[in-house]
Every structure is written in C-alpha cells, then in structure tokens.
Amino acid sequence: QVQLVESGGGVVQAGGSLRLSCAASGRTFSTYAMGWFRQAPGKEREFVAVINWSGETTYYTDSVKGRFTISRDNAKNTLYLQMNSLKLEDTAVYYCAVTKALSTDVADWYDYWGLGTQVTVSS
C-alpha cells in the first residue's frame, strides 16, 4: 500500500550538510507517522528521528539533536532529513519508514521501509 524511495545521500566532508528525501506513494500517507533510521557496517539499525502525521511533533536520538531536522510535506508525499554539522560517525545507510502506530523509536513497529541511501562523511 505504501512504497518509499530515499534519495539525497552521498559523500560529504565532516562539518558539511546533506538533505535526504523520502518520496512516498499511497493515499493515506498523511495519516502515518514517519521516521528515519540508519545502519553502519557491523552495527544494528539505529533510530534517528520520527515525526507524527501532522508534522507537529518530532523526536530525535540524542546523538543528532541540534544537528538534524526531520520534516514532512504531506502535499508532496515527501519526508525530509536535513543533516548539518555532519560527523564521521554519521556514516551509514539511512532508511525512511512508516508506522501506522503513534510515533515510535522502535523499528519493529514500523510497517513500511525504503531500501536506503548511503551517507558517507569523510575527513
């Protein structure tokens, strides 16, 4: 019912910025909370940020607070992650996801996932 496609990844120098986008298809997109997760080589998938269906409520993992901003444009069926002041430890594959539940940082409760986009931060 919902398909997600991430874009905007790439290679950026430490301290730089990237904006990730997640294009969603589905008539009920605006009723779902959406989140970003990331996974680095050899590590488990990690929660990054979530935004509720209306865009009024957001939550971030501590390591990205003050640097990343999650937003959504329901009219465009698109989720965004603005990443500033990037650090080497931000290097990972970033995934967008949709949950029919309330906003959550638990990956198991997300119903749909994109295939990911690579973000590499260099020194």
Side-chain angles (χ1 to χ4, degrees):
Q1 184 178 34
V2 176
Q3 297 182 22
L4 306 171
V5 180
E6 302 96 336
S7 62
V11 180
V12 64
Q13 187 171 307
S17 298
L18 285 174
R19 189 184 76 161
L20 305 184
S21 298
C22 175
S25 63
R27 295 175 62 191
T28 59
F29 169 81
S30 63
T31 70
Y32 300 149
M34 300 188 69
W36 288 98
F37 290 76
R38 65 187 181 186
Q39 188 167 23
K43 296 185 178 180
E44 295 183 351
R45 189 165 297 186
E46 175 191 24
F47 169 78
V48 177
V50 64
I51 187 167
N52 82 322
W53 70 271
S54 67
E56 297 295 327
T57 303
T58 60
Y59 175 75
Y60 301 87
T61 192
D62 286 345
S63 64
V64 307
K65 287 180 179 178
R67 301 189 298 118
F68 291 10
T69 302
I70 187 171
S71 62
R72 67 191 297 165
D73 186 339
N74 288 343
K76 297 182 180 295
N77 288 347
T78 302
L79 176 74
Y80 303 98
L81 185 68
Q82 179 66 47
M83 305 184 295
N84 298 327
S85 301
L86 283 162
K87 303 176 180 179
L88 293 178
E89 53 263 42
D90 295 320
T91 294
V93 176
Y94 283 71
Y95 301 88
C96 66
V98 171
T99 177
K100 297 179 181 180
L102 296 175
S103 297
T104 177
D105 60 359
V106 179
D108 286 350
W109 292 109
Y110 282 79
D111 299 282
Y112 306 99
W113 294 84
L115 296 179
T117 186
Q118 176 71 49
V119 172
T120 301
V121 183
S122 67
S123 60

